[in-house]
Amino acid sequence: MQIAQNPLVNKLRKKPRIGENLIQAVLLICGIISVLTTIGIVFELGKESLLFFTMPGVTLKGFLTGTSWQPAIGEFGILPLLTSTLITTFFAMLIALPLGLGAAIFLSEYASPKARKTLKPALEVLAGIPTVVYGYFALTVMTPFLRLLFGSDTVQIYNMLSAGLVMGIMILPLVSSMSEDALHAVPRSLREAAFGLGATRFETAVKVVVPAALSGIIAAFIIGISRAVGETMIVAIAAGSGSAFTFNPLNAAETMTGYIARISGGDVAYDTPEYNSIFAIGMFLFLITLALNLVSRRIAARFREVYE
Amino acid sequence: MNKNNSIFESRAQGNLKKRHRVSKIWRSSFFLSTTIGIFSLVILLFSIINQAFGYVIVENNVDPASLSSMPLQSLEREELISILQENVSKNRFKTIQRDNPVEELKRSELVGLVTSEIIKPTTLKSYFLIPSLTNKAEIIRTQQDEFPNAVVQFRSWISPSFLTDPLSTNPDTTGIRTALLGSLWIIVVTVIIAFPIGIGAAIYLEEYSSNNWLSRIIKTNIDNLAGIPSIVYGLLGLAIFVRGLNLITSGAFIGIDQSNGRTILSAALTMSLLILPLIIINAQEAIRAVPSSLRQASYGLGATRLQTIWYHVLPAAMPGILTGTILAVSRAIGETAPLILVGASSFINKDPSGLFSNFTVLPIQIYNWTTRPQAEFRNVAAASILVLLIVLLTLNTAAILLRNHFSKNKAA
């Protein structure tokens, strides 16, 4: 009773701080902006795709199974764009997976700390180079090289192989650095146990460390694939423009991203079939990469070996 | 018994040798995969340098010696203007006067004008650096046989005037000032938008949010946003900023007469959304690394939450946040695909003058020049790539130095 009458108590009581609450609300809004971005992407891509699919002559079935993409004459089958995306991605992963994993094993299991300190940043430089520079490299170095190798009759000036291989070089550092993180997280005791049983360094790496880090490595591979599917500038420059339904990697064929870049590069009028079609393809691309990213995260989380 | 033992031993020995051999072979193949990566980096840089320098065979429309007995660079402004007046048609001179009055031009700009209007050098053939160094005699012979009126010069496609001249459709006279300014404008505006929002979101996630559904959604969402291809952001920018908010991004709402929303503001807004996840993730890590003893001490002294964050957490986390931001910015500088969608003009020779200008950026120019058939544009593209890589290298070095500087200070 006495305490309550003491004026000091009122002074010490928690005061409402409107300013602080206001700032907290502003900070929350900052966080929500990222959610709004996702909603915006889904909404805008969905809205324009819906316009695309309600156009006369366009059906979802025809879109997914058609083998000809000729917006000018009303043929909207995504397969030619999809196959070329898959072919370039395949060659990119053909380079990036083995080399990326090999580099990761070398850096984590073999390299001396000093060698690691110089080699790792050098690989990271590759990751920092803009993709348009890789596109330039594909067109002016890789393609002439391939034409020298296989003959300029068989290799077209724009071809999927060149774009794919250079894309592989671009993705290599991503795969190697993510895999290396996974390998690095495997506890030392596992390696020492293997050495103690008489295993060589190679046997330790391949039979003990890599299996223990497998979830992280697979996650890295899937992220690599997702990056290759969404990559735009290399294929826009080196893989050719104009869709073609071909499985020959030495031919030119436009990918999904390449098509979006080419159509939007010219001044395309709003609400034309071309304009709406780039959003439909963008939606398709968004769903593929989102699924890959989610699968990658799920694998990394679910199959992670936990050591005490 | 003894015999058995030795057989076993020799077998084990043979086996061991084989195992060691396998181990060695794989060791070198792992090493090889690492070096292939680095080797491609070297080849890439080498090929760009190879194409940015070399001999060119140039033909001048008018011999500079016939204009003046002294080299153009040493002439006064008045002399240059009179040369210009004497040698171009009256109508052409009027056009030049209208575009940029010669009286206001600097001397170096006048030299450029005389070169592009009167001398009109045309590169007939260009050579890469390697053939230029190894095969000069052959180049001179080609010039004498095929282009008797031309001269052979060694050209560095990257030069001071290349940096300061505006874009033009002629590979001999084009510069990249317009594109450099466009890149600069976009980066500055992007940072102004994305930096505070990114830090705000990171503070909220690390310092305020409990583990409720809202913060979980925000966190998952940011992770997913970081994996979306940049071209999808371009589509978003095209639909929302260029088209949907046309009235604002074109500047029409404050009376700027622009017909479209393909402006610096649209591009910067798109870029901000693109690098926001990177900034948030990096800032979160930096804030998480601040020891909680610092917060406890601050609370213990009676500071409020906001005071703790503002006076203790943020200053301690700032080096990490800045490093992350610089890395995000260097990603934005090289980004091309989203800006194609947002409508970077391929050809524009007017410098951007504000938020509502049309624009082009360096990577877009590299893309355009690379896809041109003329060989000289490849040289120009290589020179632009060199500029771009030097800018990126500087930024990354700054980020590393910043990190080292502060981690040293902390240790001391």
Side-chain angles (χ1 to χ4, degrees):
Chain A
M1 240 9 224
Q2 275 229 320
I3 300 169
Q5 275 145 17
N6 190 336
L8 207 68
V9 170
N10 274 334
K11 241 184 184 174
L12 283 173
R13 192 169 286 153
K14 186 181 172 188
K15 281 185 225 146
R17 294 182 185 275
I18 296 165
E20 295 231 347
N21 291 340
L22 203 71
I23 285 176
Q24 183 175 351
V26 170
L27 294 177
L28 174 62
I29 291 170
C30 291
I32 286 177
I33 284 180
S34 77
V35 180
L36 290 181
T37 309
T38 310
I39 295 174
I41 289 175
V42 173
F43 176 75
E44 284 296 336
L45 293 187
K47 189 183 79 182
E48 300 287 345
S49 306
L50 208 63
L51 284 176
F52 174 71
F53 284 117
T54 50
M55 275 188 318
V58 183
T59 59
L60 188 59
K61 185 166 169 282
F63 179 72
L64 292 175
T65 58
T67 58
S68 169
W69 183 272
Q70 300 291 349
I73 52 171
E75 287 180 340
F76 295 99
I78 201 173
L79 282 183
L81 301 177
L82 185 62
T83 50
S84 58
T85 295
L86 293 180
I87 289 169
T88 48
T89 304
F90 171 77
F91 282 104
M93 296 328 276
L94 206 63
I95 294 281
L97 297 195
L99 293 186
L101 183 57
I105 293 177
F106 181 80
L107 288 174
S108 147
E109 305 300 312
Y110 287 91
S112 66
K114 205 176 155 193
R116 194 162 174 266
K117 231 179 161 180
T118 45
L119 291 175
K120 214 181 167 196
L123 276 181
E124 279 166 2
V125 171
L126 268 183
I129 291 177
T131 57
V132 67
V133 178
Y134 282 104
Y136 177 85
F137 181 64
L139 191 64
T140 61
V141 178
M142 187 59 89
T143 302
F145 175 70
L146 291 176
R147 292 180 70 141
L148 201 70
L149 208 62
F150 298 116
S152 49
D153 306 330
T154 48
V155 185
Q156 299 185 350
I157 296 180
Y158 299 103
N159 64 79
M160 292 182 273
L161 182 62
S162 167
L165 294 179
V166 172
M167 208 145 80
I169 297 172
M170 183 200 90
I171 295 170
L172 195 162
L174 176 84
V175 173
S176 82
S177 98
M178 276 183 78
S179 308
E180 206 229 329
D181 287 345
L183 292 173
H184 211 72
V186 175
R188 261 213 90 63
S189 56
L190 251 72
R191 293 184 186 89
E192 272 154 13
F195 289 142
L197 288 170
T200 61
R201 208 168 254 276
F202 169 69
E203 288 161 348
T204 309
V206 172
K207 294 183 181 164
V208 177
V209 183
V210 169
L214 199 59
S215 66
I217 293 171
I218 293 177
F221 285 5
I222 297 176
I223 290 287
I225 295 174
S226 146
R227 181 67 68 82
V229 169
E231 169 46 40
T232 308
M233 293 323 294
I234 299 176
V235 290
I237 291 174
S241 53
S243 68
F245 192 49
T246 170
F247 290 97
N248 183 354
L250 302 177
N251 286 352
E254 196 164 53
T255 65
M256 299 195 289
T257 49
Y259 173 76
I260 298 178
R262 177 170 61 90
I263 292 301
S264 58
D267 271 333
V268 59
Y270 296 142
D271 294 327
T272 54
E274 278 93 351
Y275 178 81
N276 291 331
S277 73
I278 63 175
F279 286 89
I281 293 174
M283 187 77 180
F284 199 58
L285 202 62
F286 172 72
L287 292 178
I288 293 176
T289 50
L290 184 68
L292 285 172
N293 291 341
L294 289 177
V295 168
S296 156
R297 189 144 331 112
R298 184 59 68 81
I299 287 176
R302 176 171 279 186
F303 300 107
R304 177 174 293 148
E305 310 244 344
V306 181
Y307 304 97
E308 291 300 310
Chain B
M1 189 65 197
N2 211 353
K3 201 180 159 196
N4 267 351
N5 214 355
S6 73
I7 288 175
F8 177 73
E9 226 165 60
S10 70
R11 267 176 131 181
Q13 283 295 326
N15 195 9
L16 195 64
K17 245 183 217 160
K18 200 179 136 201
R19 283 169 57 204
H20 275 299
R21 205 167 51 235
V22 170
S23 186
K24 229 173 234 166
I25 293 171
W26 278 99
R27 183 193 190 280
S28 29
S29 74
F30 291 145
F31 179 68
L32 192 71
S33 16
T34 315
T35 42
I36 286 179
I38 291 161
F39 181 66
S40 0
L41 177 67
V42 173
I43 298 262
L44 194 151
L45 295 179
F46 170 77
S47 71
I48 289 163
I49 290 172
N50 187 25
Q51 302 193 36
F53 303 93
Y55 279 110
V56 287
I57 298 177
V58 183
E59 194 169 56
N60 288 332
N61 199 16
V62 173
D63 188 4
S66 71
L67 295 175
S68 152
S69 52
M70 294 204 294
L72 286 179
Q73 278 77 9
S74 59
L75 292 178
E76 287 304 313
R77 292 186 59 239
E78 291 69 31
E79 292 175 276
L80 287 165
I81 291 174
S82 69
I83 289 179
L84 205 58
Q85 269 171 322
E86 283 160 24
N87 288 283
V88 297
S89 69
K90 273 213 178 92
N91 280 336
R92 181 64 200 151
F93 191 77
K94 263 186 205 154
T95 320
I96 298 171
Q97 275 286 22
R98 199 181 55 224
D99 289 347
N100 24 10
V102 289
E103 283 78 19
E104 294 167 19
L105 290 178
K106 286 200 272 308
R107 208 174 64 169
S108 60
E109 287 173 318
L110 282 170
V111 171
L113 207 55
V114 170
T115 311
S116 64
E117 289 295 328
I118 305 164
I119 301 176
K120 286 187 185 156
T122 322
T123 302
L124 302 169
K125 211 169 161 88
S126 67
Y127 292 88
F128 294 163
L129 184 59
I130 294 302
S132 300
L133 294 178
T134 58
N135 216 351
K136 192 180 175 191
E138 171 74 31
I139 296 171
I140 291 178
R141 204 170 320 125
T142 312
Q143 177 256 319
Q144 284 164 347
D145 293 349
E146 295 176 31
F147 315 105
N149 296 327
V151 286
V152 175
Q153 293 174 339
F154 187 85
R155 178 175 294 175
S156 158
W157 290 88
I158 179 171
S159 65
S161 65
F162 181 67
L163 296 178
T164 53
D165 284 353
L167 288 171
S168 86
T169 47
N170 179 353
D172 286 310
T173 55
T174 189
I176 50 173
R177 186 183 72 206
T178 324
L180 277 177
L181 286 174
S183 284
L184 190 69
W185 263 102
I186 288 176
I187 289 306
V188 170
V189 180
T190 301
V191 170
I192 291 173
I193 298 170
F195 187 67
I197 297 180
I199 295 181
I203 292 175
Y204 178 79
L205 290 174
E206 289 301 316
E207 300 288 325
Y208 283 98
S209 77
S210 46
N211 191 21
N212 58 15
W213 62 273
L214 184 61
S215 63
R216 269 203 305 277
I217 285 182
I218 296 178
K219 274 177 190 163
T220 325
N221 181 60
I222 289 169
D223 285 340
N224 284 328
L225 276 181
I228 291 176
S230 57
I231 196 164
V232 173
Y233 285 95
L235 286 168
L236 179 72
L238 171 63
I240 292 190
F241 301 130
V242 175
R243 196 181 172 191
L245 300 176
N246 181 21
L247 208 64
I248 295 170
T249 52
S250 67
F253 75 109
I254 50 167
I256 290 173
D257 188 25
Q258 268 268 336
S259 55
N260 59 40
R262 299 168 186 271
T263 54
I264 285 186
L265 183 60
S266 296
L269 286 168
T270 310
M271 269 318 183
S272 308
L273 294 184
L274 178 72
I275 65 168
L276 204 50
L278 298 176
I279 293 185
I280 296 177
I281 291 171
N282 280 315
Q284 270 183 288
E285 267 169 28
I287 291 174
R288 215 176 296 146
V290 175
S292 64
S293 55
L294 222 65
R295 298 185 185 88
Q296 308 298 349
S298 172
Y299 288 137
L301 289 170
T304 65
R305 198 177 236 183
L306 186 67
Q307 285 165 341
T308 306
I309 293 169
W310 187 252
Y311 291 107
H312 301 284
V313 178
L314 269 188
M318 207 34 104
I321 294 176
L322 286 180
T323 311
T325 307
I326 294 177
L327 294 179
V329 163
S330 63
R331 158 112 193 256
I333 290 178
E335 200 58 74
T336 321
L339 293 185
I340 295 180
L341 279 115
V342 182
S345 317
S346 55
F347 187 74
I348 170 173
N349 56 5
K350 244 176 85 185
D351 289 343
S353 58
L355 284 180
F356 306 109
S357 301
N358 290 343
F359 67 98
T360 183
V361 291
L362 203 48
I364 294 274
Q365 283 310 315
I366 295 171
Y367 170 55
N368 282 323
W369 283 327
T370 304
T371 47
R372 298 275 184 90
Q374 276 162 280
E376 287 76 30
F377 279 116
R378 299 274 167 86
N379 299 117
V380 177
S384 319
I385 288 176
L386 269 185
V387 175
L388 183 64
L389 290 183
I390 290 168
V391 170
L392 292 179
L393 193 71
T394 317
L395 276 177
N396 282 302
T397 316
I400 292 167
L401 289 180
L402 195 73
R403 196 168 53 196
N404 291 350
H405 178 74
F406 280 97
S407 62
K408 241 181 240 157
N409 273 7
K410 225 180 245 173

